[in-house]
Amino acid sequence: MIDEQQRESFAFATRVLGALFYFAPDNAQTAPLANAFQDGTWLAQWPDATPEVAALTEGFAATNDETLPESYQRLFVGPWALPAPPWGSVWLDRENVLFGDSTLALRQWMREKGIAFDVSQNEPEDHFGTLLMLATWLTDSQRYDDCDELLAWHLLPWSSRFLEVFIANAGHPFYAALGKLAQLTLAQARETLLIPVAEKKLYR
């Protein structure tokens, strides 16, 4: 990140995107966000509403045979195989497993940084939505170097491929638009990083 304005914009974007990728759209925490995207009111509040961002409004507002909660269930929960699993180790581990070596490396990094991961169930730390929300927290806490490390070492090495597959298999225009908005947000963040993004082999 470079200046205060960019940091605030990034924290706003990752807070919103992280919640929508992690929580169901009818969850009490995310329902107002989902509604704002569907009715178009989000655009006026988005920190960097470029023409590319504005072009996503139509996708967010579009309806589909599948409801938004049904799409969330199919994309993030199952019971069938998820078209684009949102956990980093699925992309970074040769066996495409949860809690792979990349998850353990992230867990070790978090431990060294004194970052506690508190969830109600045994869940990997490397969920795309979780990492976006962690980036928000680090930025809000003015831990900018730690945020850069999180992005460069633990999120950006696999997120581009994840989002590419996610968008292609979204099946609902809302989630396709959400994936594209995340792409634009992370591409902009990548440009402002002061450290290089780690090159890691992907297995999906």
Side-chain angles (χ1 to χ4, degrees), residues 89-186:
S89 69
V90 176
W91 305 88
L92 294 167
D93 191 277
R94 185 183 298 276
E95 305 298 326
N96 308 128
V97 295
L98 297 180
F99 296 104
D101 288 344
S102 62
T103 312
L104 301 180
L106 170 63
R107 186 177 291 173
Q108 176 64 26
W109 177 83
M110 292 173 67
R111 190 179 299 119
E112 291 171 358
K113 299 294 181 179
I115 300 169
F117 183 73
D118 183 27
V119 289
S120 56
Q121 53 196 359
N122 185 29
E123 184 179 14
E125 293 88 337
D126 57 350
H127 188 289
F128 182 72
T130 301
L131 294 180
L132 289 178
M133 290 187 285
L134 177 54
T136 302
W137 180 78
L138 290 170
T139 303
D140 286 345
S141 303
Q142 299 186 343
R143 295 175 60 170
Y144 305 131
D145 290 345
D146 290 342
C147 184
D148 281 358
E149 289 181 7
L150 176 72
L151 294 175
W153 298 349
H154 301 290
L155 178 59
L156 292 176
W158 62 274
S159 61
S160 294
R161 177 63 182 153
F162 159 68
L163 287 170
E164 177 188 329
V165 178
F166 179 83
I167 292 165
N169 293 275
H172 194 297
F174 180 96
Y175 279 109
L178 186 68
K180 290 171 186 172
L181 186 58
Q183 276 183 330
L184 293 171
T185 299
L186 291 179

Side-chain angles (χ1 to χ4, degrees), residues 7 23 34 38 50 66 117 123 137 154 160 169 171 187 197 204:
R7 289 182 178 122
F23 297 106
Q38 288 178 304
T50 63
E66 193 177 49
F117 183 73
E123 184 179 14
W137 180 78
H154 301 290
S160 294
N169 293 275
V197 174
R204 281 184 71 125

